[in-house]
Amino acid sequence: MEVSLGQKHKQAEFPLVSVSELSSSSSAPSSSPVVARFSINSGVPELRFHQETESNDAFNVDLRTAKLFKLSSIQSVCISEGSEASKEKTYSRGVTIQFRKEDESRAFHCAFEQWKKEVVVQGSHLQNGTVLASKSKFDDKIEASSAKMYFHYYGQLLHQQNMLQDYVRTGTYYAAVIENRADFVGRVVVDVGAGSGILSLFAAQAGAKHVYAVEASEMAEYARKLIAGNPSLGQRITVIKGKVEEIELPEKADILISEPMGTLLVNERMLESYVIARDRFLVPNGKMFPTVGRIHMAPFSDEYLFIEIANKALFWQQQNYYGVDLTPLYGSAFQGYFSQPVVDAFDPRLLAAPATSHMINFTTIKEEELFEIDIPLRFTASVGARIHGLACWFDVLFNGSTVQRWLTTAPGAPTTHWYQLRCVLSQPLYVMPGQEITGQLHMIAHNAQSYTISLTMSAKMWGPGAEQGGILQTSSCKFDLKEPYYRMSQPQAYSMAQDQQPHQLLQTQDIQIQAQEEEGSDLMQQPSQNSGDQLH
């Protein structure tokens, strides 16, 4: 027996032009009218599609697990969950819905959402019913206020323009996609965090069969406009507004593409969403662009930067500020300024030792492994200097079948909007050439979509008897990656003296990268300075 779900929703029936299963090769209008009806059957809320004259020929959708996506102003797709016997969710059935007019499409979507909400409200009273979780995986680990600001920020065109005008970033992505057409032609692509949709358009240019552009911010509406304005490509792109942790797709992807990198690679914690999308949507052995990322680190010496930060706290040394002694807060202010990692572009000649690196393989890493990252540090000083802290940057590899292309943010390479990052110690270390520097970089994720960084650096004994070990000096500091000190607002390129060779961090050899190499492989070599150049 079918009953109406209360009297709240006056219109429970919607006339349609046509309904066809996704597996069907055609969607020709039926000779008799097609109707979509919301109802409850045996305590289960459902959406039923049927022809008015053929009531037995119906397709029912369980509203407790159904998802509805808009493909165009008058076309949508509705998918439903498969067998509950399986431990994994499978969305094996779906229908394409064709409406007569745009306002009828809007009314149907509104009714769908209202009935879904009613399911949650009355879920405990439904026979054999299950209530969907009110919070997603994303909501469980990210503070609501942080997420709101994050999506508001990325929902602005001015920020998207800033990223698009980073020609190293955009040009490298374009080159990585176009040069690897073989990976995209005839393939299904998911663009994770699509933003303006530029990467989806690149994938379509490379011959993708279909691209699902997933974007949680209001930028999704702008992406729809941009894609609609490029109809030759846009007809193969579907924009889906939502988080990858929450949305469902009608099919699996052969390849994921995304720009999930933040400052120091991991800031904003979008790498976790990238990994979740891999586990939810990517076919086995599917490709990921980018494939791996590396965080590079080296000690640096920069007296000017150290003095600049230390001098900021001098304000609090005033003993008569309008009759008030500010000095009790000087120590806290001093430590506060040194708790901000510095984001800027610096001269690679400031590095005091060859760099070391920590690799993250996006194809194999587990989400929880990104919650806490521990990197041991060991360097050999190449110069005698005061060590003021640890300089960091990152690069990512697009491991295409045809071309392996790197995007690097290294000092001395063309500057990107990520710049580089430096953790400045409040107590510098003194080292001599050949002296060993050890330590630890420990990063713990927090719910403001960033990381707390703990840095310890120690200068070991040197000269005769150094093999006995022993620490001469140690310095530690804690930083909040969420609150950096942006030292410059415009890219600044540092030229290399003609007679000066950069440290080993920029010396490379071009080699082929094997797609199935395990994390930590020695085959991963440093990218060249030109690896981030835009495509000419």
Side-chain angles (χ1 to χ4, degrees), residues 174-455:
Y174 180 75
V177 173
I178 299 302
E179 292 173 349
N180 289 288
R181 288 179 181 271
D183 294 322
F184 289 86
V185 172
R187 303 286 166 68
V188 175
V189 180
V190 171
D191 182 356
V192 181
S196 65
I198 191 69
L199 301 185
S200 296
L201 290 162
F202 289 171
Q205 286 184 50
K209 173 185 174 184
H210 200 85
V211 184
Y212 295 95
V214 183
E215 173 57 40
S217 78
E218 294 304 316
M219 186 54 55
E221 297 304 320
Y222 291 110
R224 286 193 178 104
K225 289 184 179 180
L226 181 63
I227 289 166
N230 294 267
S232 62
L233 302 173
Q235 62 185 356
R236 289 180 281 125
I237 303 174
T238 300
V239 177
I240 298 175
K241 187 175 186 297
K243 306 181 185 77
V244 294
E245 293 86 353
E246 300 172 2
I247 62 102
E248 302 292 345
L249 298 180
E251 56 186 326
K252 290 285 188 178
D254 302 298
I255 183 168
L256 296 186
I257 189 168
S258 182
E259 196 262 74
M261 301 90 72
T263 307
L264 195 58
L265 184 61
V266 298
N267 188 37
E268 298 178 353
R269 297 184 63 181
M270 190 180 164
L271 285 180
E272 295 165 35
S273 296
Y274 190 38
V275 169
I276 290 171
R278 176 201 70 193
D279 294 340
R280 299 192 67 209
F281 306 134
L282 192 63
V283 299
N285 300 317
K287 281 192 169 290
M288 299 178 72
F289 272 42
T291 315
V292 300
R294 296 181 304 181
I295 300 173
H296 300 272
M297 301 143 287
F300 73 92
S301 178
D302 191 342
E303 201 70 42
Y304 291 105
L305 175 60
F306 178 82
I307 293 173
E308 177 184 329
I309 295 175
N311 282 349
K312 288 183 176 183
L314 291 179
F315 170 83
W316 298 95
Q317 285 193 329
Q318 297 180 81
Q319 294 179 323
N320 188 7
Y321 181 75
Y322 293 97
V324 177
D325 183 1
L326 300 181
T327 57
L329 297 180
Y330 170 73
S332 297
F334 183 86
Q335 292 300 326
Y337 284 119
F338 277 96
S339 70
Q340 291 184 286
V342 177
V343 175
D344 68 350
F346 65 85
D347 192 326
R349 288 172 293 187
L350 297 175
L351 300 178
T356 188
S357 64
H358 173 77
M359 190 177 79
I360 299 176
N361 189 331
F362 304 138
T363 67
T364 58
I365 193 169
K366 297 178 181 177
E367 177 197 357
E368 55 269 23
E369 292 180 72
L370 293 168
F371 296 167
E372 186 171 357
I373 302 172
D374 189 37
I375 306 174
L377 304 174
R378 186 175 298 274
F379 309 98
T380 300
S382 53
V383 294
R386 275 219 309 177
I387 302 300
H388 293 105
L390 189 70
C392 306
W393 60 95
F394 71 87
D395 53 32
V396 293
L397 170 69
F398 301 92
N399 190 23
S401 299
T402 307
V403 176
Q404 288 80 36
R405 180 168 284 271
W406 289 94
L407 169 58
T408 181
T409 64
T415 307
T416 71
H417 77 283
W418 290 285
Y419 302 101
Q420 291 98 42
L421 180 136
R422 287 185 283 176
C423 296
V424 185
L425 296 168
S426 59
Q427 294 295 326
L429 304 174
Y430 296 84
V431 298
M432 297 296 290
Q435 190 169 357
E436 189 175 17
I437 304 168
T438 61
Q440 181 185 52
L441 183 68
H442 190 66
M443 299 187 287
I444 299 178
H446 58 64
N447 62 4
Q449 291 175 274
S450 194
Y451 285 77
T452 298
I453 302 174
S454 297
L455 172 65

Side-chain angles (χ1 to χ4, degrees), residues 452-474:
T452 298
I453 302 174
S454 297
L455 172 65
T456 299
M457 296 182 72
S458 302
K460 296 190 70 174
M461 292 180 61
W462 64 285
E467 65 277 1
Q468 302 299 322
I471 301 297
L472 290 177
Q473 186 183 7
T474 295

Side-chain angles (χ1 to χ4, degrees), residues 95-212:
V95 291
T96 301
I97 311 167
Q98 188 79 23
F99 299 93
R100 298 182 302 181
K101 296 183 294 185
E102 184 176 355
D103 58 348
E104 291 182 353
S105 171
R106 284 197 298 266
F108 180 85
H109 276 257
C110 181
F112 186 92
E113 292 302 320
Q114 287 177 330
W115 278 72
K116 289 280 288 184
K117 289 178 182 177
E118 195 73 21
V119 169
V120 174
V121 172
Q122 299 188 5
S124 58
H125 305 295
L126 298 178
Q127 299 177 17
N128 304 317
T130 56
V131 179
L132 298 179
S134 60
K135 279 190 174 184
S136 71
K137 201 171 188 180
F138 179 91
D139 296 327
D140 284 337
K141 65 184 181 182
I142 300 300
E143 190 177 78
S145 59
S146 174
K148 183 178 180 180
M149 292 182 64
Y150 175 77
F151 292 123
H152 172 74
Y153 181 70
Y154 282 104
Q156 300 178 63
L157 281 174
L158 60 91
H159 179 64
Q160 295 293 328
Q161 179 178 336
N162 177 49
M163 293 190 293
L164 291 173
Q165 288 181 319
D166 181 345
Y167 298 113
V168 174
R169 165 197 178 269
T170 307
T172 304
Y173 267 90
Y174 180 75
V177 173
I178 299 302
E179 292 173 349
N180 289 288
R181 288 179 181 271
D183 294 322
F184 289 86
V185 172
R187 303 286 166 68
V188 175
V189 180
V190 171
D191 182 356
V192 181
S196 65
I198 191 69
L199 301 185
S200 296
L201 290 162
F202 289 171
Q205 286 184 50
K209 173 185 174 184
H210 200 85
V211 184
Y212 295 95

